[in-house]
Amino acid sequence: MSADEPAPLSLDTQAVWAAEAGPFPFGAAVVPIVQAATFAYQDLESWRSVALHRRAGHIYSRNSNPTLEVLERKIAALDGTESAAGFSTGMAAISSTFFALLSPGDRLVSIRDSYGGTNVLFEEFLPRFSIEMCLCDTTDMESIESEISRGCRLLYLETPTNPTLKVVDIERLARAAHAQGAIVVTDNTFATPCNQRPAALGSDLVIYSATKFLAGHSDVLGGLVSGSAELVRKIYHFREIAGATLHAEAAYAILRGMKTLALRMARHNSNAQAIAEHLSRHPKVAAVHYPGLANHPGHGLARRQMRGYGGVLSFAPRGGLAELATVLDRLRLAQRAAHLGGVATTAGPPSVTSHVELTAEERARAGIPETLIRYSAGIEDPADLIADLDQALGAL
Ligand SMILES: *Cc1c(COP(=O)(O)O)cnc(C)c1O
């Protein structure tokens, strides 16, 4: 860095400024929502030069859109990657990544605790295309390494996991995967770039359900993939054809949410930590899962790999399904909903949230307890949330 070059901006500053310094059309201070389905040209020559990628510009919003492009540049900046592509949902980003990068006969290595929808891709759809699947015990790094060494085209990670918050060693597994020439993909939805930078740990691609913490207000769906220009180009090309592109309006809503991402994540982190500590001392609680707890099996790794432990925890009230229902029904400051990452606290059991796509038997096989409550701490006052949990647990 030369003496007059400014110091690199912190993530908190980038969350506000990255890709949004302008100038924007009409002198607008924020990026306009470019609602256009298509883009019109005055002469064939300039139209052709944009269509043939000789000049920057847009042709049709299934392929690219100016508002979406700002969001793509923003997540790439926050992730420290070269490029990004936006999708209509997180699942569209995940499935498009697989269909863009895998071919029949390829072997995919992943963990058993991936997001429910991702797991359905692994169990139901990818095998139909003759992709060989190997789903490993999420916390057994040695067995994952040994499966990788048997051949691996794509290593798919997610950490912390849903809903038991297991922690996976990205750097160690990425090293093993790269030795096999594999592509490493990490779902970073729970952590966000504020808490974890998978690209810096060796992940080639970073995936988000932007629906969750990135957007943060429970009012929009979206998905993002960021990584090297070369890999993102392939995924982008698949998106142009498969068509699960993010709408400009949704891109704008996610951009607006992301400006406060660092502020929100700081509060999500501290709220979840305070609640997890409180619940782990509570006589009516049988188990608490949160990587910020010193007795969590992944705590040491999380401390090395993450800058904050995130807003999601899970806990099991003492008893069975009746007690689970009692506690959930009595909560006042939690939306009982299949969602997480919003400013308002949400709570629900895996059977109707993260793992609704699985049968009870499949959940049991995946080690997902039916009596667990996944709790996504919002940005409310932690004392109010703790009092609410206490009154709900007090009914047991
Ligand atoms: C919600 C979620 C997804 C899927 O995202 P959608 O936007 O709902 O399609 C993928 N991974 C994780 C970890 C999630 O929480």
Side-chain angles (χ1 to χ4, degrees), residues 2-275:
S2 71
D4 56 357
E5 207 173 303
L9 297 173
S10 85
L11 197 111
D12 297 44
T13 307
Q14 288 194 64
V16 179
W17 282 97
E20 293 185 82
F24 296 121
F26 316 113
V30 294
V31 61
I33 302 171
V34 180
Q35 281 280 11
T38 192
F39 299 82
Y41 290 87
Q42 303 303 318
D43 63 275
L44 182 59
E45 196 37 48
S46 34
W47 187 3
R48 199 200 316 266
S49 60
V50 172
L52 299 179
H53 304 291
R54 290 199 197 113
R55 228 182 67 190
H58 303 275
I59 295 290
Y60 188 62
S61 280
R62 164 151 53 74
N63 301 354
S64 70
N65 172 281
T67 313
L68 174 55
E69 201 175 276
V70 171
L71 172 62
E72 290 167 339
R73 281 195 279 120
K74 189 172 199 88
I75 192 67
L78 296 189
D79 274 337
T81 58
E82 289 172 351
S83 185
F87 289 86
S88 53
T89 64
M91 283 313 302
I94 294 166
S95 54
S96 297
T97 298
F98 294 144
F99 287 109
L101 300 179
L102 292 170
S103 302
D106 283 345
R107 188 160 190 265
L108 187 153
V109 177
S110 189
I111 52 172
R112 283 205 198 110
D113 289 62
S114 53
Y115 177 75
T118 308
N119 200 70
V120 173
L121 287 175
F122 291 160
E123 304 264 12
E124 182 180 343
F125 291 100
L126 293 179
R128 275 207 222 153
F129 296 88
S130 299
I131 310 295
E132 193 192 327
M133 300 299 317
C134 177
L135 304 182
C136 306
D137 179 338
T138 303
T139 56
D140 187 348
M141 297 306 130
E142 262 169 45
S143 88
I144 303 174
E145 274 177 333
S146 99
E147 286 299 341
I148 291 168
S149 71
R150 295 205 177 105
C152 178
R153 173 72 190 130
L154 194 148
L155 172 68
Y156 189 88
L157 304 176
E158 180 181 325
T159 182
T161 63
N162 197 346
T164 49
L165 289 303
K166 292 174 183 159
V167 185
V168 179
D169 193 332
I170 299 171
E171 192 166 24
R172 174 172 169 181
L173 297 178
R175 210 178 306 121
H178 287 153
Q180 295 294 318
I183 298 166
V184 181
V185 184
T186 305
D187 183 333
N188 202 37
T189 299
F190 270 40
T192 80
C194 296
N195 285 338
Q196 182 168 270
R197 316 279 306 275
L201 297 166
S203 189
D204 300 297
L205 292 166
V206 187
I207 291 195
Y208 296 95
S209 168
T211 313
K212 312 293 171 53
F213 291 101
L214 293 186
H217 295 72
S218 313
D219 53 4
V220 65
L221 296 166
L224 293 163
V225 184
S226 95
S228 71
E230 187 198 341
L231 286 174
V232 171
R233 199 177 303 119
K234 290 181 186 174
I235 297 165
Y236 191 95
H237 177 58
F238 181 81
R239 187 192 75 183
E240 290 184 309
I241 303 309
T245 311
L246 188 66
H247 190 271
E249 215 170 338
Y252 180 81
I254 296 166
L255 275 169
R256 182 163 57 184
M258 283 175 71
K259 287 172 205 177
T260 57
L261 180 66
L263 277 179
R264 286 186 288 109
M265 287 315 296
R267 185 63 168 249
H268 286 300
N269 289 343
S270 61
N271 276 1
Q273 182 75 38
I275 290 163

